[in-house]
Amino acid sequence: MKFNFTYSFSALLLLPFLCQQVSADEKLDFFEKKIRPILIAKCYECHSQGSAKLEGGLLLDSRKGVLTGGESGPVLIAGNPAESLLLSAIRHESFEMPPDEKLSDEVIADFEHWIETGAIDPRDQPPSPTEAAELAWQAKLAERSRWWSLQPPVSHQPPVAANPEWNKEPVDQFIFAKLSDSGLEPSPDSADAETLLRRLSFVLTGLPPTPEQVVEFQAAYEVNPDEAYTQLVDELQASPHYGERIARHWMDVIRYTDTYGYEDDLPVKGGWEYRDYLIRAFNNDVSFQQLIKEHLAGDLLPEPRINEEDQLNESLIGVTFFNMGEHRGGSSLLFNGIHQDLVDNRIDSLSKGFLAMTVACARCHDHKLDAVSQEDYYALAGIIMSPRWVTRVIDSPDKYADQIDELKQLRAEIREQLIKTWTAQDHSLSPMKLKNWAEEHREDLVNVSEEEVAFPIGQLLKTSEPEIPSAWKILADTWRNKHDERVHQNKEKFEVLTDFTEPGFPEHWGVEGIGIQEGYVTDGSPLISLEGESIVSELLPRGYHTHALSSKLPGAIYLPTQQLFPQKYLSLEFRGGEWGGYQMIPQNTFLEEGPSFFDPEQPSSWTTFGPKELKNGVTRIITQITTSSLNTNFPPRTGIGSMGKVRLDPRDENPFRRSWFSLTGVTTHSSEELPQNELAYFASLYKDESPETVDVAWTTLSVWLNSTIDRWSKSECQDGDLVILNWLLKQGLLPNQFSESSELNQLVQRYREIEALN
């Protein structure tokens, strides 16, 4: 009995303590579930360490802040709700807090209970300003995420309408139900046939009906209204004007413009192609899901939508959406905010068009109205800015396949005919023939530079018979010293990334266009003349030439960002013409002024791209080498475009003109010097002993030139041979006229016919 009594007594003694402990836990749990979330969501914005402006000197983000109060004194008296200013404020009795909306009666009752039971508050330390701001935002985000507009769609069973006529379409059933709930009756179908036709025609095509349509529809409507109506809708939707009408609605959504705006008002690159793409999409009943995919990632789809009739990659056109809207001219390196405004405009258009949200406000702060944080904004900005913004070829891959194949075959046949002609005995460059030609051109030859092919010929014309051996030896020694020195310096100072002995580009490079795909040639590929009496314009050195088959073919090469250069500088050996050029674009601001166009009168030369100071938020500079049609800023604003001595006519805005460029070498280096000409074309001339007489010297020169032709005919060209061959062509020392061969004439004529086709 004693044991049992003691046990029972102990239990009675412990009971009040246990009840007190549970009560404290309950109070703490009540605060965490009912009070803290409301303080964070509704009060921290104005009354916490993270407030942009602390209102009333009141901090509500810690126990001390609540008990201390603000400018109006203490706001809470534990156990006394009636005297607590906090409670009267949220009741909108003394102050009106929160000011934008009164808390629900349930929440107010929770605060009253919290104060009445002692206002337990475990927040010993206030959060840091960053933590307070993040807590306030997370609370808002949790609340906003419950909005109906952000919930995933779910399937609903439409209510059955009492009127059977309203059960044909789900949307009609919902409308009828709401009308019935509001005690309203649907308006009667009172439109006559002509009115109905006019309404449908304007809605679906944007055009009034023709008189013939009015007569036909009225007659059909009198016989069977439902069938006539259905047939009319089908006919209007089958009209090409249907796509034009509906596309205009979507163009309003994505803010279609024909120009980029601002003071220059330049035409939008690809604008009209995008407009026609939309019209075709709506006329061909392309699904909205597919349309969205093409707008957001049409260039990444594994199976793009190909228009077989027009031979277009429709999916690729869709991403032109990102190119719509404002584009300021100028460089982000010179003017702060250029690319930032560009990105902001894209985010605004993207979010309103596809998310039905205003995201652009989050550029400066967590959104005041929508469930979008500043972090979300810049994550989206990173996605938009990360890719290169470039002009792409929208033709289907095989659109010109037949023409390309025939041009390549004809070029090969023309080369074979040229080999027969240039290696024929009666066309060889004999010593006497060379000497006679040199005498005719003596005045020009004796003054040529020592780096020109004709230099040894000019020197021979000035040298007397007794001086031949010594003079020749001086020439050979001088060349050998320069050659060896330049070879050594080039090897020491420059790393050759590629000399295009094999096709392909260095790591991190990008390319675009059939002019690049079909533009690689080995040494000596003939560039067929497209007009005039010449068979070939020149023999191309190995490398990439966008005009190797036709200067109509587009091409672009995209250099890696400067951070990816193997060394400080990257030098390219290139040339071009007909508005081919290059452009350095800071942070995708492609309307930067000053695109550099190649001067077609200039031979291939080295151009260096080096580091630039990055400022105004610029993190990378993108360099592109393009034909005019793939130049993101062609034609540039009036007054900017010049190609050598030729200026771009401001009235000529055709981007699809003939255009070309060649790239034949790539080096990287740490200093600003350029690779030097190694004079390789003289190597085979000076490899033997000096000639003893004038006649032997002319023979040596003849062998030097003829051996170059021979190596070309066998596809065994050495470094420098192409310089000699093109000099021979320019001087008329190689037959290059149609009259030389009727078969060659026919081949070139056929080549020109195929090349001229669209």
Side-chain angles (χ1 to χ4, degrees):
M1 290 292 295
K2 185 175 182 181
F3 175 79
N4 289 337
F5 175 80
T6 304
Y7 177 81
S8 300
F9 180 71
S10 299
L12 291 172
L13 289 175
L14 289 169
L15 184 58
F17 176 78
L18 289 173
C19 290
Q20 186 179 19
Q21 181 66 39
V22 171
S23 178
D25 288 343
E26 288 178 344
K27 291 178 182 179
L28 182 60
D29 187 60
F30 185 86
F31 175 83
E32 296 295 350
K33 291 183 177 179
K34 301 289 188 178
I35 305 303
R36 188 197 288 263
I38 300 300
L39 290 173
I40 292 174
K42 302 297 184 181
C43 307
Y44 274 25
E45 184 175 356
C46 301
H47 300 289
S48 73
Q49 299 287 344
S51 302
K53 180 182 178 182
L54 183 64
E55 298 291 345
L58 176 62
L59 289 169
L60 296 178
D61 54 4
S62 68
R63 182 174 63 251
K64 180 181 179 181
V66 174
L67 295 176
T68 301
E71 296 172 358
S72 300
V75 297
L76 186 148
I77 301 175
N80 191 348
E83 298 298 325
S84 295
L85 184 59
L86 176 62
L87 189 61
S88 65
I90 63 176
R91 286 173 173 167
H92 284 200
E93 295 173 350
S94 54
F95 299 94
E96 294 184 356
M97 296 295 159
D100 52 348
E101 61 175 336
K102 185 179 179 181
L103 298 175
S104 68
D105 292 340
E106 181 182 357
V107 172
I108 294 174
D110 289 338
F111 270 82
E112 182 177 5
H113 175 73
W114 173 57
I115 297 171
E116 189 174 39
T117 56
I120 187 170
D121 187 344
R123 299 173 301 160
D124 295 328
Q125 296 294 329
S128 68
T130 301
E131 291 171 339
E134 181 62 22
L135 286 170
W137 169 250
Q138 290 300 328
K140 284 185 179 180
L141 184 62
E143 179 184 349
R144 293 174 182 178
S145 297
R146 293 191 292 269
W147 291 347
W148 69 266
S149 58
L150 298 181
Q151 305 311 305
V154 295
S155 179
H156 290 277
Q157 184 64 36
V160 178
N163 185 341
E165 290 295 318
W166 284 76
N167 284 321
K168 295 178 180 179
E169 297 291 340
V171 64
D172 294 336
Q173 293 174 262
F174 284 110
I175 292 174
F176 188 89
K178 284 297 182 182
L179 288 173
S180 300
D181 292 345
S182 302
L184 299 174
E185 291 289 332
S187 298
D189 295 334
S190 57
D192 58 30
E194 184 175 355
T195 301
L196 188 61
L197 169 61
R198 185 175 178 82
R199 289 174 180 173
L200 282 170
S201 185
F202 272 114
V203 167
L204 296 179
T205 68
L207 299 171
T210 65
E212 293 78 13
Q213 285 178 308
V214 173
V215 173
E216 292 175 3
F217 182 67
Q218 284 178 329
Y221 196 77
E222 290 178 2
V223 176
N224 190 328
D226 287 344
E227 183 178 335
Y229 178 87
T230 301
Q231 184 175 349
L232 174 62
V233 171
D234 290 342
E235 290 176 357
L236 292 174
Q237 287 185 324
S239 165
H241 301 303
Y242 170 77
E244 297 167 357
R245 171 64 170 170
I246 304 303
R248 290 187 63 183
H249 294 303
W250 183 246
M251 289 160 70
D252 287 340
V253 171
I254 57 90
R255 299 186 292 187
Y256 173 88
T257 56
D258 288 318
T259 70
Y260 292 125
Y262 286 98
E263 60 269 25
D264 294 329
D265 209 31
L266 295 172
V268 169
K269 195 82 169 181
W272 66 265
E273 291 97 333
Y274 174 78
R275 176 201 65 204
D276 291 354
Y277 151 85
L278 288 178
I279 293 171
R280 290 191 299 270
F282 285 111
N283 276 335
N284 294 326
D285 201 23
V286 173
S287 71
F288 190 58
Q289 180 185 29
Q290 178 69 18
L291 204 65
I292 291 177
K293 286 182 179 179
E294 292 177 353
H295 275 62
L296 300 182
D299 56 330
L300 301 176
L301 297 183
E303 296 183 6
R305 182 168 59 91
I306 302 298
N307 181 333
E308 298 295 347
E309 180 179 355
D310 297 325
Q311 292 185 293
L312 296 174
N313 183 338
E314 298 280 19
S315 297
L316 195 56
I317 305 176
V319 288
T320 307
F321 152 74
F322 285 105
N323 195 31
M324 295 296 164
E326 299 172 348
H327 285 269
R328 291 170 58 187
S331 165
S332 271
L333 292 175
L334 299 178
F335 306 102
N336 199 3
I338 297 285
H339 71 269
Q340 290 90 341
D341 287 348
L342 179 150
V343 173
D344 186 66
N345 187 273
R346 297 305 167 276
I347 290 177
D348 195 41
S349 179
L350 174 68
S351 62
K352 289 177 179 177
F354 294 98
L355 302 177
M357 299 175 70
T358 54
V359 172
C361 297
R363 177 180 183 179
C364 301
H365 48 70
D366 291 338
H367 208 294
K368 296 292 185 181
L369 302 174
D370 281 319
V372 181
S373 68
Q374 191 175 26
E375 184 178 357
D376 293 333
Y377 174 93
Y378 283 99
L380 186 56
I383 293 173
I384 291 176
M385 187 52 71
S386 292
R388 293 175 183 262
W389 289 24
V390 299
T391 303
R392 298 289 303 275
V393 175
I394 60 175
D395 294 324
S396 60
D398 56 351
K399 184 173 183 177
Y400 301 106
D402 292 342
Q403 288 172 254
I404 294 295
D405 289 343
E406 186 167 358
L407 288 177
K408 290 164 70 175
Q409 178 62 35
L410 287 168
R411 182 177 64 184
E413 293 177 12
I414 291 171
R415 186 181 191 280
E416 291 302 314
Q417 290 298 318
L418 286 174
I419 290 174
K420 293 178 181 179
T421 302
W422 291 353
T423 57
Q425 186 64 34
D426 56 341
H427 289 139
S428 65
L429 195 57
S430 65
M432 183 58 67
K433 182 177 179 180
L434 179 60
K435 181 179 180 180
N436 292 339
W437 174 86
E439 290 293 346
E440 292 176 9
H441 298 83
R442 171 183 285 271
E443 186 176 344
D444 295 327
L445 292 172
V446 296
N447 294 314
V448 297
S449 161
E450 62 182 3
E451 298 202 357
E452 295 184 49
V453 172
F455 179 70
I457 301 175
Q459 295 302 300
L460 180 58
L461 291 172
K462 296 191 298 182
T463 306
S464 63
E465 180 89 29
E467 299 172 326
I468 290 297
S470 59
W472 192 277
K473 186 176 186 305
I474 292 173
L475 286 178
D477 290 343
T478 302
W479 168 80
R480 191 171 293 106
N481 290 335
K482 285 188 177 181
H483 173 70
D484 292 345
E485 179 183 357
R486 292 181 181 185
V487 168
H488 176 73
Q489 289 185 0
N490 285 344
K491 186 175 180 180
E492 287 290 316
K493 297 179 179 180
F494 301 93
E495 177 188 351
V496 177
L497 293 185
T498 180
D499 61 1
F500 296 109
T501 303
E502 299 292 335
F505 291 88
E507 187 179 10
H508 304 303
W509 288 42
V511 298
E512 172 75 8
I514 198 167
I516 295 295
Q517 296 168 20
E518 300 293 346
Y520 177 80
V521 299
T522 55
D523 273 326
S525 178
L527 180 65
I528 312 303
S529 296
L530 300 178
E531 59 184 9
E533 295 300 318
S534 297
I535 298 170
V536 296
S537 299
E538 63 177 297
L539 298 178
L540 297 172
R542 65 177 179 266
Y544 282 88
H545 309 266
T546 62
H547 62 320
L549 289 174
S550 168
S551 54
K552 290 181 177 180
L553 301 180
I557 297 174
Y558 306 110
L559 302 189
T561 57
Q562 293 173 330
Q563 294 90 329
L564 295 176
F565 286 3
Q567 297 188 52
K568 188 175 182 180
Y569 298 99
L570 190 70
S571 289
L572 277 60
E573 186 179 35
F574 54 28
R575 59 183 289 227
E578 300 179 88
W579 304 106
Y582 62 92
Q583 188 178 8
M584 300 177 69
I585 307 169
Q587 213 77 11
N588 280 334
T589 53
F590 59 80
L591 290 187
E592 177 185 4
E593 295 188 348
S596 300
F597 296 107
F598 295 113
D599 183 349
E601 300 300 322
Q602 296 297 318
S604 290
S605 60
W606 290 97
T607 299
T608 298
F609 299 92
K612 284 192 173 184
E613 179 187 0
L614 302 181
K615 55 185 178 179
N616 298 332
V618 174
T619 60
R620 64 175 181 167
I621 296 176
I622 300 168
T623 302
Q624 61 178 16
I625 310 161
T626 64
T627 56
S628 61
S629 61
L630 293 183
N631 188 329
T632 50
N633 189 17
F634 186 88
R637 77 174 178 88
T638 301
I640 294 298
S642 62
M643 180 178 61
K645 299 177 182 179
V646 180
R647 296 195 68 81
L648 184 66
D649 188 333
R651 297 167 297 178
D652 186 358
E653 296 183 346
N654 174 29
F656 301 104
R657 62 182 69 237
R658 292 181 178 275
S659 183
W660 63 274
F661 67 85
S662 298
L663 177 63
T664 51
V666 182
T667 67
T668 183
H669 44 106
S670 58
S671 65
E672 293 190 54
E673 299 177 70
L674 291 174
Q676 298 186 60
N677 179 3
E678 297 177 357
L679 307 175
Y681 35 88
F682 293 130
S684 61
L685 176 62
Y686 296 128
K687 64 182 176 61
D688 297 324
E689 295 294 326
S690 300
E692 296 294 328
T693 66
V694 170
D695 289 341
V696 174
W698 283 114
T699 300
T700 301
L701 289 171
S702 174
V703 170
W704 169 54
L705 297 176
N706 283 317
S707 63
T708 304
I709 300 170
D710 184 61
R711 286 193 296 272
W712 169 79
S713 69
K714 299 174 181 177
S715 299
E716 297 174 354
C717 286
Q718 299 176 0
D719 288 346
D721 280 359
L722 265 294
V723 177
I724 298 173
L725 289 167
N726 283 316
W727 177 81
L728 292 172
L729 276 173
K730 186 177 181 180
Q731 303 305 320
L733 294 172
L734 284 175
N736 194 27
Q737 301 296 316
F738 283 164
S739 58
E740 298 294 337
S741 168
S742 60
E743 184 177 353
L744 191 54
N745 180 33
Q746 293 172 6
L747 289 172
V748 174
Q749 289 284 23
R750 177 59 180 169
Y751 190 100
R752 293 179 178 183
E753 291 172 5
I754 297 300
E755 195 276 341
L757 297 175
N758 290 326

